[in-house]
Amino acid sequence: MDIPQADPHASYQAHKRDIDAAIQRVLDSGRYILGEETEAFESEFAQYIGTAYSVGVANGTDAIELALRACGIEKNDPVYTVSHTAVATVAAIDRCCARPVLVDIDPTSFTMDTECLHRAIMANNNGERGAILPVHLYGRPADMPSICEIAKRFKLKVVEDCAQSHGAAIGGRRTGTWGDAAAFSFYPTKNLGALGDGGVITTNSKDVANRARKLRQYGWRQKSISEEPGINSRLDEIQSAVLRVKLANLDADNAARIEIAHQYDSQLNQSYYELPQCPEGIIHVYHQYVIRTRDRNELQSYLASTGIGSTIHYPKPVHLQPAYMSRFSRESLVNSETAANEVLSLPMFPELSRDAVLMVAQKILSFIKK
Ligand SMILES: *Cc1c(COP(=O)(O)O)cnc(C)c1O
């Protein structure tokens, strides 16, 4: 593709000198797992997000699993989440042996519909433990004020899936600070991307942070003594050192994404495509710039024929995936199914040039004319 949809290599190139130096520093230190770099990154990331604690782990899926477990979620507890998300969201709930309950999305924000959430809780809550796991999809925050209110009323925990929302905020308060805990992924294409896998849990609770620290390393608080069954999910020193470089550039990178989004908006607002919405008071960090249209497949083929990459996030909601479909009923997930047939993510990464954005927009407009 002449213009790729995402380009993690461009991000490495943009910060190559600092990243290479950071990696060399780790190589020379002789400490490769859970050392000074990870500790420094954890404290810098918590400070950036606005929580008291952050706990580095191996990837975003583990971050969700361990955040749920650290919040006390256990076997068969209901965890309310969405079907229009990365499969990882539901896979992580499964790993806790909790029971995923899928809730439909609002068709404009592509995030959890709070009325559907309320209905799902009325139908499934056993009055004991449980959690709500909203996903800030594409970089747009879910309706956290309403979700937190519902959680309080039904005594449910809230764990945010922030894998696509590093830096996004509602009323000046960042995603990752609203719930009892939150999970971030540092997969290379995310807004904050490592050069490999990585993830982190943020929380304001000392107990949740300590429990997550235990769970990420065989249940150890003190070396070689397992207080409860844990796993191995550690963030390594090389990724931590790289992430410290990238974190220092996150606000600038997000600002570049927002500017690209505004460019797309102004080029495409006369077309019949539905464009992303960003209400007052919300910071949308455009992990993806997603347009919506019924001729999505034709548009994607046309763009590909002109050398422009685009991606469908996601072609099948979780409840229609072969691995999961027998477990979920289709009723009441209509908005999720329609979205899967109509969404298309345009090229979006901080290093994408103004000219490239214009070129993509021009091609889309010329497709409409045909
Ligand atoms: C990327 C992603 C994950 C999983 O993160 P990994 O680091 O790939 O395990 C979870 N949820 C969402 C919404 C994601 O986009």
Side-chain angles (χ1 to χ4, degrees):
M1 288 293 163
D2 305 325
I3 303 179
Q5 199 268 324
D7 191 356
H9 187 243
S11 167
Y12 168 59
Q13 287 295 330
H15 309 293
K16 181 172 168 31
R17 212 151 41 101
D18 291 344
I19 290 173
D20 288 354
I23 291 173
Q24 192 59 50
R25 191 171 71 226
V26 174
L27 296 179
D28 291 337
S29 78
R31 179 81 189 250
Y32 305 118
I33 291 275
L34 297 186
E36 281 174 17
E37 296 289 341
T38 302
E39 236 170 71
F41 172 70
E42 286 175 340
S43 104
E44 289 160 13
F45 191 74
Q47 189 174 10
Y48 175 85
I49 294 297
T51 53
Y53 308 96
S54 103
V55 180
V57 295
N59 57 66
T61 311
D62 285 0
I64 299 170
E65 176 195 345
L66 297 188
L68 287 168
R69 288 180 63 189
C71 287
I73 296 305
E74 293 176 10
K75 196 170 171 189
N76 293 330
D77 292 345
V79 177
Y80 302 90
T81 193
V82 288
S83 191
H84 184 62
T85 182
V87 168
T89 308
V90 176
I93 299 171
D94 261 2
R95 289 259 303 269
C96 306
C97 301
R99 183 163 56 88
V101 179
L102 300 180
V103 174
D104 210 3
I105 53 165
D106 171 87
T108 312
S109 67
F110 297 109
T111 61
M112 187 178 271
D113 181 312
T114 50
E115 272 175 38
C116 297
L117 170 65
H118 190 261
R119 244 178 285 137
I121 293 172
M122 298 302 273
N124 286 277
N125 212 24
N126 55 16
E128 293 175 18
R129 282 179 313 256
I132 306 172
L133 177 47
V135 181
H136 306 301
L137 200 72
Y138 307 146
R140 173 168 170 173
D143 181 359
M144 293 315 294
S146 306
I147 288 170
C148 290
E149 199 181 293
I150 293 172
K152 200 168 161 196
R153 178 137 47 103
F154 291 96
K155 298 195 168 56
L156 296 167
K157 301 287 184 186
V158 175
V159 173
E160 299 168 74
D161 182 340
C162 297
Q164 304 191 0
S165 69
H166 318 70
I170 307 168
R173 183 170 162 194
R174 289 206 158 117
T175 62
T177 65
W178 290 82
D180 296 278
F184 290 81
S185 162
F186 304 127
Y187 184 79
T189 58
K190 309 280 177 171
N191 290 43
L192 180 59
L195 296 174
D197 276 313
V200 83
I201 296 160
T202 56
T203 181
N204 279 315
S205 156
K206 191 172 187 176
D207 290 343
V208 170
N210 283 341
R211 185 134 187 235
R213 283 209 176 89
K214 273 204 283 190
L215 291 170
R216 77 173 167 185
Q217 187 159 240
Y218 325 121
W220 291 357
R221 182 155 48 141
Q222 156 196 0
K223 193 172 161 67
S224 303
I225 304 295
S226 292
E227 298 185 346
E228 65 175 315
I231 62 174
N232 168 10
S233 182
R234 297 174 294 219
L235 184 61
D236 71 64
E237 287 285 283
I238 289 183
Q239 297 309 332
S240 299
V242 170
L243 285 164
R244 293 179 71 191
V245 174
K246 295 279 198 91
L247 179 59
N249 288 285
L250 178 57
D251 281 339
D253 283 348
N254 281 341
R257 287 175 183 270
I258 290 167
E259 198 188 322
I260 291 165
H262 290 162
Q263 256 186 294
Y264 277 133
D265 286 345
S266 67
Q267 292 293 314
L268 299 175
N269 68 6
Q270 303 293 351
S271 72
Y272 58 81
Y273 296 131
E274 280 177 52
L275 306 181
Q277 303 291 314
C278 183
E280 249 336 90
I282 281 188
I283 298 179
H284 186 322
V285 292
Y286 295 97
H287 174 59
Q288 302 296 352
Y289 186 92
V290 175
I291 64 172
R292 187 170 177 151
T293 175
R294 288 208 198 137
D295 54 11
R296 184 269 311 275
N297 292 347
E298 293 78 5
L299 175 62
Q300 183 176 40
S301 311
Y302 174 74
L303 289 176
S305 76
T306 67
I308 294 170
S310 63
T311 311
I312 297 165
H313 297 103
Y314 296 88
K316 263 187 199 302
V318 177
H319 70 284
L320 298 182
Q321 298 278 345
Y324 297 95
M325 58 192 296
S326 64
R327 286 170 42 192
F328 299 105
S329 84
R330 293 183 59 173
E331 57 186 316
S332 76
L333 294 169
V334 182
N335 289 341
S336 305
E337 294 186 15
T338 315
N341 290 327
E342 298 185 354
V343 291
L344 190 67
S345 307
L346 302 184
M348 171 57 85
F349 49 94
E351 298 77 17
L352 187 65
S353 73
R354 232 160 219 288
D355 287 350
V357 177
L358 280 181
M359 165 86 89
V360 174
Q362 291 308 311
K363 293 292 181 202
I364 292 173
L365 295 173
S366 69
F367 170 77
I368 294 174
K369 281 204 206 96
K370 288 201 312 171

